Each structure stands twice: as structure tokens, then as C-alpha cells.
Amino acid sequence: MLSDLDTFPVIQLGDFSLKFELDDLTPEFQEIARKELRESPEKKEESLAELRELLKDEPDLWIPIDNDAYLVKFLRPCKYYPESACELIKRYYAFKKKHAEIYDELTPSKESNIFQQNILTVQPNRDQLGRRILVIELGKKWKHKQCSLDEVFKGCVLFLEAAMLEHVTQVAGAIVIFDMEGLSLQQTWQFTPSFAKRIVDWLQDAIPLRLKNIHIVNEPFIFNVVFNLFKPFLKDKLKSRIIFHGTNRKSLHEYISPEYLPECYGGTLSLPRITGSQWHQLLVMSDKEYEAINSYGYKKMVKNH
């Protein structure tokens, strides 16, 4: 597994390193975990033991039950309540099973197209609260005839699986910036109610990650057509975390300090533009780890012919 690696690939970009941060928590984030997630050595040990017992009642679910790091990534977003973590694990793998057409054999090397489109990237820096920043540009840069929404979703899943292994991300969480500048009518037609439901189900029920906010920026009026597809499936908690900013950068800066944002979002961060291909280069180096991730889950039923 990724989390078992002593070393992990790094791509240097000026002053920034593009890498997965698998280091242990610093004292600062240990304190955040204690305050916000009830984390302590005693609580961790107790919750791990209880969670293992609960998972023994799931004989059809194959996961590395003896791997502490694996179980902690589900306990942290559930604030160390073992029952909640067990339910999250079941929902996470049930979602994977339900959407097998997306998840089966999903590895970075098989998904080069979405990264070459350069519409999906994670900033190499975190924000002022230590959160990962995912930027998705589904407006003028998105060539919808060359890259489907399913491919965009697969790219997000690949990033998420990596983020889930980072201890700081498990504690601090992540935010998403949806940049919809230049969204066209033809692009809005790519969105369907079934796609909207899948995305919302995934975000609300099936990701072991503290998703703090979804920031919609540069959205044209036509974006309302798209958002109306998602609305019926949104529960209050997620709905309250979706914030519309338009071109109002001051509004965005109320949530993300300008020194952590690139110039295009009114920020002051001197940062080389990270391309999707650069991230892909890094992700491909960990193909084997994704194969391990894909091997876990509910056992496939073998049909007798």
C-alpha cells in the first residue's frame, strides 16, 4: 500500500515539490486532531479494536483489517466513532461495487486523457488551514467531445484515493474550486440527472474525507441549469458547504487567504502553473499501489454457467 512506502516519488517545481505527503502529523496537526477529531493514542487504540470487531461481521468484505493506517483513514472523518467508521467503510465499498464500470481496474496509467486535458489539478501547496486544494475547470478549457464527465470523475477518484493516505489531509480535509468560466450550452447538456445523483451520493455518503467547501467561481448564468440537476439530491450539510462566488474574489478570499491562491483567483502566490500531465507523471509512478487499493472491497459473486 502507498502508506507503507518509505519513499515516494517527488517532482520538483521551482520552490514547490509535487508529491504525496505521507509524513506523520506535526504537533500542530496532532493538536487539531485532538480538538476536532477526539484523537489520542488511547482513543485510537480503543477505536481500532472496536472497529476490527465490527468488521468481523462483514465476511464478504475483503480489506486489510490488521493495517492500522488503513483503518485510521476511516476513523478520522468519523471522529473515532467505530460504528460510524464501519458504516462509512460499508458505504464506500458498496458505492464502488454499484459503480463497477468506473472503479474496475482504475489506475492512473489507464486514464492519461483526463490529465492531458489539463482541467483537473491539485495545487502543490495547502491553504491556510492545511487543506488540500483541488481545482476543476469545466468551462472554456473543457473539450467535452474529447473528454467525458465519467473521465473527469475517474480523475477525481484517483486524486481522492491518494489524498486519503495523507495524514494531514485526513485531519485538515480538502476544498474544491470549480472554475466554470466560459461554460457553454453544449457543455451543460453533458450533465444528466443520473450523473448528478452519482456525484452527490459519492460526496455525501461514500468518501472517507473531510470535504470542507466546494467553491464555484466564474460561473455564468447558464450554470443554474447544471446546478438545478444536483439540487434534488443535496442534503443540508453538503448544500451549506457549496458557495457561489462568481467573479467576486473578495468573497473567495473570505474562505481561502490570497497568499495561498494563484493570481488567476486574485491570489499572491508565486506558483508555477501545475499541469495535469505533471500530476499524471507522479500518479503513474504509483500504479502498483492503485492495483492494491482496487483489490479490496466486496467479493465479486461468481455466476455458475
Side-chain angles (χ1 to χ4, degrees):
M1 289 175 65
L2 285 168
S3 51
D4 295 334
L5 296 183
D6 295 324
T7 58
F8 206 70
V10 177
I11 296 175
Q12 200 61 36
L13 299 162
D15 294 337
F16 287 93
S17 299
L18 206 56
K19 63 179 179 179
F20 299 116
E21 299 167 0
L22 304 177
D23 305 332
D24 289 334
L25 295 178
T26 61
E28 176 195 358
F29 284 102
Q30 285 174 12
E31 181 61 15
I32 292 170
R34 187 186 69 77
K35 278 185 179 171
E36 295 185 13
L37 308 180
R38 309 188 316 135
E39 183 169 311
S40 68
E42 300 76 28
K43 176 58 71 180
K44 186 181 282 188
E45 193 178 328
E46 177 191 319
S47 297
L48 282 167
E50 285 184 43
L51 180 54
R52 285 193 176 100
E53 283 304 310
L54 291 167
L55 288 167
K56 285 176 185 172
D57 293 333
E58 296 296 319
D60 293 335
L61 184 58
W62 192 80
I63 53 175
I65 196 169
D66 295 322
N67 185 312
D68 286 2
Y70 173 85
L71 296 179
V72 163
K73 73 182 181 186
F74 291 95
L75 281 165
R76 276 178 171 150
C78 296
K79 300 185 179 178
Y80 281 90
Y81 290 104
E83 297 84 358
S84 301
C86 185
E87 290 304 312
L88 176 57
I89 289 171
K90 291 194 286 187
R91 290 196 307 270
Y92 171 73
Y93 284 109
F95 185 88
K96 282 190 166 193
K97 186 178 180 181
K98 182 179 180 181
H99 300 287
E101 75 285 358
I102 295 288
Y103 284 93
D104 277 0
E105 297 181 12
L106 179 60
T107 56
S109 59
K110 292 180 180 173
E111 298 301 328
S112 59
N113 184 47
I114 174 59
F115 295 100
Q116 286 163 4
Q117 298 297 319
N118 204 25
I119 57 175
L120 188 66
T121 188
V122 173
Q123 287 196 191
N125 65 295
R126 296 172 181 271
D127 75 356
Q128 72 276 10
L129 298 174
R131 302 175 296 192
R132 276 290 194 190
I133 306 170
L134 171 65
V135 182
I136 305 173
E137 298 174 84
L138 287 183
K140 61 185 179 185
K141 285 178 72 177
W142 175 34
K143 301 177 180 68
H144 63 275
K145 290 180 180 173
Q146 293 176 22
C147 178
S148 69
L149 282 173
D150 277 351
E151 287 179 274
V152 175
F153 181 59
K154 285 181 179 183
C156 290
V157 168
L158 289 170
F159 273 136
L160 175 90
E161 294 287 0
M164 279 164 52
L165 299 165
E166 299 184 315
H167 295 286
V168 173
T169 308
Q170 290 170 12
V171 170
I175 54 175
V176 181
I177 296 176
F178 269 104
D179 189 338
M180 307 305 291
E181 185 181 0
L183 180 75
S184 70
L185 184 60
Q186 287 76 19
Q187 287 170 330
T188 65
W189 291 340
Q190 307 309 305
F191 293 86
T192 62
S194 62
F195 177 80
K197 184 175 189 317
R198 185 211 303 161
I199 295 296
V200 174
D201 287 350
W202 181 61
L203 292 174
Q204 289 183 153
D205 301 320
I207 61 168
L209 189 71
R210 304 182 77 199
L211 183 64
K212 293 301 197 173
N213 287 119
I214 296 174
H215 298 283
I216 316 284
V217 301
N218 299 329
E219 71 277 14
F221 183 72
I222 200 171
F223 179 71
N224 290 332
V225 174
V226 175
F227 190 64
N228 282 337
L229 290 173
F230 289 80
K231 263 187 188 169
F233 310 115
L234 290 170
K235 295 173 189 167
D236 288 344
K237 184 177 177 181
L238 182 58
K239 194 184 290 184
S240 71
R241 294 185 177 190
I242 300 173
I243 302 139
F244 296 88
H245 301 285
T247 55
N248 186 341
R249 297 296 182 246
K250 282 186 177 172
S251 168
L252 180 63
H253 297 164
E254 287 174 23
Y255 296 88
I256 314 170
S257 299
E259 58 263 40
Y260 299 94
L261 284 169
E263 213 174 287
C264 60
Y265 300 123
T268 56
L269 184 67
S270 177
L271 179 70
R273 181 75 180 173
I274 309 302
T275 67
S277 294
Q278 285 168 319
W279 267 113
H280 187 240
Q281 187 185 339
L282 191 69
L283 289 165
V284 165
M285 293 177 191
S286 50
D287 243 35
K288 283 269 183 285
E289 284 70 40
Y290 281 92
E291 287 170 17
I293 289 166
N294 293 341
S295 71
Y296 307 137
Y298 283 103
K299 294 170 188 168
K300 292 187 175 70
M301 300 302 289
V302 179
K303 292 178 182 172
N304 295 317
H305 292 289

